[in-house]
Amino acid sequence: MAISFYDARITNWVDVDGDGYIRQFDIEFDVDSTVASRYYVKVYEYDVVFDDYLTVSSVFDVNGSSIDWQRVTIFANSYPGTDLLSHGNAEFRLDLYNATTNT
């Protein structure tokens, strides 16, 4: 079985106060698989020292390589702190899990 992220992107960003820092955005991703199954994604703020867990997507079906964007919405104000999403740059890690086996 081959499963992989085909693509990922940040969309629908909102900068409410115009300070140049995004307060809300979606991380969209497209997953392809050679076997039909159900999956979910855990999202982390990627850091050299420690990856901070942010959220989990809903469970979604994957069947083949059709383009079927899934999304999680991130509200930056929900993650205050010096190394989270307050003001600055962030990198994200997406971990893909099989919803049936949680692996």
Side-chain angles (χ1 to χ4, degrees):
M1 171 174 77
I3 180 141
S4 63
F5 287 101
Y6 177 76
D7 202 357
R9 62 189 183 192
I10 294 178
T11 62
N12 301 321
W13 58 272
V14 177
D15 176 6
V16 181
D17 57 4
D19 66 354
Y21 294 99
I22 299 170
R23 302 290 187 214
Q24 174 183 329
F25 57 93
D26 293 338
I27 298 176
E28 294 184 337
F29 50 90
D30 179 28
V31 175
D32 292 344
S33 178
T34 57
V35 175
S37 193
R38 300 185 60 138
Y39 298 92
Y40 64 92
V41 168
K42 288 186 178 181
V43 180
Y44 296 83
E45 185 259 339
Y46 178 76
D47 192 310
V48 174
V49 178
F50 181 77
D51 294 347
D52 300 301
Y53 171 77
L54 299 177
T55 192
V56 64
S57 73
S58 58
V59 173
F60 55 91
D61 295 317
V62 175
N63 186 8
S65 60
S66 62
I67 296 174
D68 52 349
W69 292 102
Q70 306 298 320
R71 112 177 5 117
V72 292
T73 300
I74 303 294
F75 299 95
N77 290 343
S78 297
Y79 309 101
T82 57
D83 70 333
L84 289 173
L85 304 177
S86 55
H87 279 82
N89 294 328
E91 294 183 43
F92 300 97
R93 186 182 92 210
L94 306 177
D95 290 353
L96 182 65
Y97 290 86
N98 182 303
T100 305
T101 63
N102 292 319
T103 58

